[in-house]
Amino acid sequence: MADVVILPQSELVTLAAEYIGSLVHEKPELVLGVATGSTPLQLYQQLARSGADFSRASAFALDEYVGLPESHPESYTRVIDTQVTRQLGFQPERVHVPSGNHATLATAGPEFEAKIRAAGGIDVQILGIGTNGHVGFNEPGSSFASRTRVQVLAEQTRIDNSRFFDSLESVPRHCVTQGIGTILEARHLLLLAFGKQKAAAVRAALEGPVSSLVPASAIQLHPRVSVLLDEDAASELAMAEYYRYAWQNKFGGQVLG
Ligand code: GLP
């Protein structure tokens, strides 16, 4: 069972930042899986403030839109460059985002997977969750064996992400995303969710049947998962009281891992 931690958002961010900070201290060549979206932004800010040294670490992003120029403010290449590479002090050549360039789409997935393998695999993968239960951009129906590939974005995802664009029309219709099979190979999954709008997806992911209709439910198949939820995101969980009890009784509720 996943460790499920239910705390105010600021405490979750501190817990996750301390955990990742300790990992990179122990292993300077840490391979960190990074997510985009609004959920992990405070975590990156807190890690930056902590002074953790990522100069020898590598990072792999989950996904990228197809067809946005890399200079577009919403391209994940640009977001990762700003929020992760520069803010945390990674060497740019050790930060990898799948290519969403039309010209190289056929090879983008296998090339990205080869880079993850060459780095020795991902030590800890930060994940958000879509309101429709997606992880990365693996939309409902994605195979649990899927690898990094082109996906068609669900309409719900385009609507959710249109807040970052001028209009719904300007949200791309395609993406390249790590597959569920790729994500499940990371050695530790760290899923964060904040807010009421995530509560139904969180419940389906943690307590619903394991189903490709809820891609995030694949985390139930992983042996090492930590799920960090604020009260609102946890508000539909049937087992919330047990999760609190179990967390308090695991190392006094102080340590992720
Ligand atoms: C986005 C990203 C996901 C992210 C999710 C939630 O579309 N592709 O990696 O986890 O949707 O986003 P947010 O954190 O902004 O709610």
Side-chain angles (χ1 to χ4, degrees):
M1 178 194 284
D3 285 335
V4 180
V5 188
I6 305 167
L7 288 172
Q9 185 175 338
S10 62
E11 292 179 37
L12 297 172
V13 168
T14 300
L15 195 64
E18 284 176 357
Y19 173 64
I20 292 170
S22 72
L23 288 184
V24 75
H25 185 71
E26 282 163 26
K27 180 185 176 186
E29 294 81 14
L30 185 75
V31 183
L32 184 64
V34 289
T36 46
S38 46
T39 303
L41 292 179
Q42 286 188 26
L43 170 58
Y44 300 145
Q45 285 161 13
Q46 184 127 342
L47 272 172
R49 281 195 296 271
S50 78
D53 180 4
F54 291 94
S55 61
R56 290 159 63 191
S58 309
F60 287 87
L62 284 167
D63 45 19
E64 176 58 292
Y65 291 110
V66 168
L68 287 188
E70 289 187 357
S71 58
H72 190 289
E74 290 310 323
S75 87
Y76 286 169
T77 302
R78 175 89 178 268
V79 172
I80 292 290
D81 185 55
T82 311
Q83 299 294 336
V84 175
T85 313
R86 289 166 195 268
Q87 185 170 222
L88 300 186
F90 280 85
Q91 297 297 317
E93 65 275 16
R94 294 204 198 102
V95 178
H96 308 281
V97 181
S99 169
N101 190 325
H102 278 296
T104 53
L105 274 190
T107 53
E111 276 178 12
F112 193 72
E113 298 263 343
K115 285 183 190 163
I116 297 176
R117 278 196 301 278
I122 291 171
D123 290 309
V124 56
Q125 174 66 58
I126 299 166
L127 293 172
I129 183 170
T131 57
N132 66 355
H134 76 213
V135 280
F137 268 139
N138 292 283
E139 300 290 19
S142 295
S143 162
F144 286 1
S146 53
R147 311 301 308 187
T148 306
R149 69 211 183 287
V150 176
Q151 269 269 275
V152 176
L153 292 172
E155 198 56 15
Q156 185 60 52
T157 300
R158 295 186 63 246
I159 292 167
D160 287 349
N161 288 4
S162 64
R163 69 190 192 278
F164 299 116
F165 291 81
D166 295 338
S167 65
L168 182 56
E169 257 321 290
S170 47
V171 183
R173 291 177 186 276
H174 298 85
C175 64
V176 177
T177 181
Q178 284 191 35
I180 305 275
T182 319
I183 292 168
L184 289 178
E185 284 172 6
R187 288 184 270 280
H188 184 192
L189 302 180
L190 192 59
L191 189 148
L192 289 82
F194 309 133
K196 261 264 181 298
Q197 73 282 9
K198 299 293 175 74
V202 165
R203 175 168 189 173
L206 282 176
E207 298 180 341
V210 174
S211 162
S212 64
L213 293 181
V214 182
S217 67
I219 66 172
Q220 294 180 39
L221 302 173
H222 194 287
R224 202 160 159 239
V225 181
S226 303
V227 181
L228 275 49
L229 306 173
D230 68 3
E231 293 290 344
D232 284 342
S235 59
E236 293 189 21
L237 290 174
M239 300 226 310
E241 285 318 308
Y242 175 75
Y243 298 135
R244 288 182 218 273
Y245 166 84
W247 172 244
Q248 279 308 321
N249 282 280
K250 186 177 183 188
F251 313 126
Q254 300 296 319
V255 194
L256 285 178

